[in-house]
Amino acid sequence: VTWERSFEEYFKQFVSEINNAVFDNNRANLSKNKNAFNNNLKADLVYIDSPYMRPINNSWEYRKTDYLLFYHFLEGMLEYGEWNEKIDWSRKHLPYKTNLNHRFQDPNFLRKDFVELLVQFNNSIVAVSYLDGGTPTIDEFEDYMRPVFDKIQVFETKHTHYMRKGEVTEYLIVGS
């Protein structure tokens, strides 16, 4: 069904949804798109959309998800003037050229990468989104957060995912 509707139709739908979500909280708000490891920004809220690594055929080998290969819509909008240089025109699905930073891409270094990131933002509220069934597990995420935050909350919702059959569970893990 997703592919049967036009991009224009989706764009209008999502612009409407986004516009309806805008509100004035009477504060000066700022949003940044930067590498979390290479800056000294202070933030009230840090949102982490973690990579999803899935076991291949129940083995210890993992399928890694490079977001820039498939899900670069926001990056493309933020760097629209640089598309000609950023898009890999030699590939059929026109991915963003990856930056060779493979943090969060190797299951052997996930704990180290996450803990380093969480410690860097230990004075912020940190929200991590997670789709069930990957690596690290939901319990491992909580273990990563426990030494860093006084309070950890886990919210879950079940829904159907456009790229999968059946119902999936999505979590939001919040540390403060």
Side-chain angles (χ1 to χ4, degrees):
V1 174
T2 301
W3 311 117
E4 293 174 6
R5 294 170 59 191
S6 71
F7 180 79
E8 179 181 5
E9 188 177 346
Y10 279 116
F11 188 81
K12 287 178 180 177
Q13 173 190 335
F14 294 130
V15 164
S16 175
E17 288 178 21
I18 290 168
N19 286 340
N20 288 330
V22 174
F23 62 92
D24 184 356
N25 66 357
N26 296 313
R27 297 174 74 183
N29 301 291
L30 181 63
S31 176
K32 294 282 188 179
N33 178 19
K34 295 191 175 279
N35 182 321
F37 290 102
N38 300 330
N39 71 71
N40 58 357
L41 293 174
K42 302 296 178 215
D44 296 323
L45 174 68
V46 174
Y47 171 72
I48 301 170
D49 185 8
S50 59
Y52 300 110
M53 282 193 264
R54 305 220 173 278
I56 299 173
N57 299 326
N58 296 319
S59 72
W60 290 101
E61 184 182 356
Y62 289 90
R63 178 178 297 116
K64 298 170 180 112
T65 303
D66 186 339
Y67 279 83
L68 291 180
L69 287 178
F70 301 103
Y71 310 112
H72 55 68
F73 181 75
L74 291 177
E75 286 82 2
M77 288 180 60
L78 291 169
E79 300 175 324
Y80 187 73
E82 301 169 35
W83 264 27
N84 280 333
E85 297 85 35
K86 298 277 185 170
I87 296 293
D88 183 351
W89 297 99
S90 69
R91 299 187 62 188
K92 183 178 180 179
H93 67 287
L94 302 177
Y96 240 48
K97 293 177 183 174
T98 59
N99 62 6
L100 302 178
N101 178 358
H102 297 290
R103 290 197 95 146
F104 300 102
Q105 298 288 322
D106 185 335
N108 298 313
F109 294 100
L110 276 178
R111 180 179 184 86
K112 177 191 170 298
D113 289 342
F114 271 110
V115 170
E116 183 180 333
L117 189 60
L118 295 170
V119 167
Q120 181 170 340
F121 293 104
N122 67 343
N123 291 319
S124 304
I125 297 169
V126 174
V128 179
S129 66
Y130 176 77
L131 189 63
D132 195 29
T135 295
T137 66
I138 189 77
D139 292 335
E140 288 171 319
F141 269 118
E142 289 183 74
D143 287 344
Y144 299 166
M145 296 177 93
R146 203 167 280 116
V148 180
F149 298 104
D150 294 329
K151 183 177 179 184
I152 299 168
Q153 297 173 280
V154 179
F155 303 91
E156 73 177 75
T157 185
K158 294 186 184 303
H159 60 89
T160 54
H161 192 272
Y162 72 97
M163 295 293 281
R164 293 193 184 174
K165 294 178 181 174
E167 194 172 67
V168 296
T169 303
E170 186 136 10
Y171 296 91
L172 187 66
I173 311 152
V174 180
S176 58

